[in-house]
Amino acid sequence: GAVLLLDEVDLASSKVMALQSVLEGKGYFIKKLGEWIKPVAGFTVIATANTKGKGSDDGRFVGTNVLNEAFLDRFPVTMYQNYPSEAIEKKILTKASEAYGIDFKAVEDFIPNLTMWGDIIRKTFEEGGVDDLISTRRLVDIMKSYSIFGNKEKAIKMSIERFDDETRESFLSLYSKIDAEVGMTDEEKEVAEAAREVLESAKSDEDV
């Protein structure tokens, strides 16, 4: 009565076809044991795939295969999981920052900037403007890098280093337009921080 998860099923070979009778609820004959096993109430098969079983022509998911249509047809329900909304992604990154021991005050502005950045890149990718995108997992990796280096720009650079030069530079340039502090010299950052402290102090006086 358990759940069988076939994670990344489009990496499977044609041998996965052996599950067809199981997916139809008929069970499976184990030759070595001479035993016929049948699924009981509650048994469910869930498969995940980045290519919907169609393989990858663009090379982004190397090693994936085109799965047999008869096999895919045994799954009565198919769901497409898009990337989370910015609001949900903010919650994910907030939880990640807690897990990595980051003071939330240090990333209070960083997190919404990252989610906006990722969302813009994904929309541009869907429109054919770029060849790569930023996943939620990569944003979490940036938080982890930040917990190590304590520097936003370095954390982003370390997490997008695997992209080609043009893509990497365009992604970093986009982020610098969202977060003005990225790309600043240390002296400029000190001036910005001093200005922020003055504004916060003025706001506190007004509240009093």
Side-chain angles (χ1 to χ4, degrees):
V3 173
L4 170 62
L5 172 62
L6 306 175
D7 195 22
E8 306 287 4
V9 71
D10 46 1
L11 287 167
S13 70
S14 58
K15 291 180 180 179
V16 77
M17 294 290 287
L19 289 172
Q20 283 203 176
S21 63
V22 176
L23 292 169
E24 292 174 351
K26 296 177 182 177
Y28 184 78
F29 182 68
I30 305 175
K31 292 180 181 179
K32 289 183 179 180
L33 301 177
E35 183 181 355
W36 180 264
I37 56 171
K38 294 176 67 177
V40 298
F43 176 70
T44 306
V45 180
I46 298 174
T48 68
N50 284 307
T51 71
K52 302 181 184 179
K54 303 299 183 184
S56 175
D57 293 328
D58 57 13
R60 293 181 62 242
F61 299 104
V62 175
T64 54
N65 303 306
V66 177
L67 297 180
N68 188 287
E69 190 63 31
F71 172 75
L72 295 174
D73 205 37
R74 262 58 179 190
F75 290 91
V77 176
T78 303
M79 293 180 288
Y80 176 70
Q81 179 60 55
N82 207 339
Y83 283 100
S85 64
E86 284 190 58
I88 296 297
E89 212 158 50
K90 285 176 189 175
K91 291 181 181 179
I92 293 172
L93 295 188
T94 299
K95 287 289 184 183
S97 69
E98 292 173 2
Y100 296 135
I102 302 171
D103 178 12
F104 179 71
K105 203 67 177 162
V107 291
E108 191 173 6
D109 296 325
F110 191 29
I111 287 174
N113 287 341
L114 281 177
T115 56
M116 183 190 302
W117 177 64
D119 188 57
I120 292 171
I121 289 173
R122 288 169 204 153
K123 287 175 180 174
T124 306
F125 175 82
E126 289 171 2
E127 293 168 0
V130 290
D131 295 328
D132 288 288
L133 48 72
I134 298 295
S135 65
T136 303
R137 183 181 288 111
R138 190 156 300 279
L139 293 181
V140 171
D141 287 342
I142 291 172
M143 297 304 297
K144 187 174 184 179
S145 295
Y146 181 82
S147 73
I148 297 170
F149 302 109
N151 181 290
K152 292 189 289 185
E153 186 171 2
K154 188 169 186 178
I156 293 171
K157 282 182 176 179
M158 296 291 282
S159 296
I160 63 174
E161 189 62 36
R162 73 171 184 82
F163 296 128
D164 63 71
D165 293 347
E166 185 179 348
T167 300
R168 188 175 63 249
E169 290 306 314
S170 66
F171 283 4
L172 194 58
S173 174
L174 172 62
Y175 187 82
S176 68
K177 290 179 173 63
I178 296 171
D179 187 346
E181 285 189 14
V182 168
M184 280 185 178
T185 63
D186 291 339
E187 186 177 345
E188 288 171 333
K189 287 178 182 177
E190 286 178 12
V191 172
E193 182 61 31
R196 186 159 41 243
E197 288 176 3
V198 170
L199 288 171
E200 288 178 357
S201 177
K203 186 178 179 183
S204 296
D205 292 340
E206 286 177 8
D207 292 340
V208 172

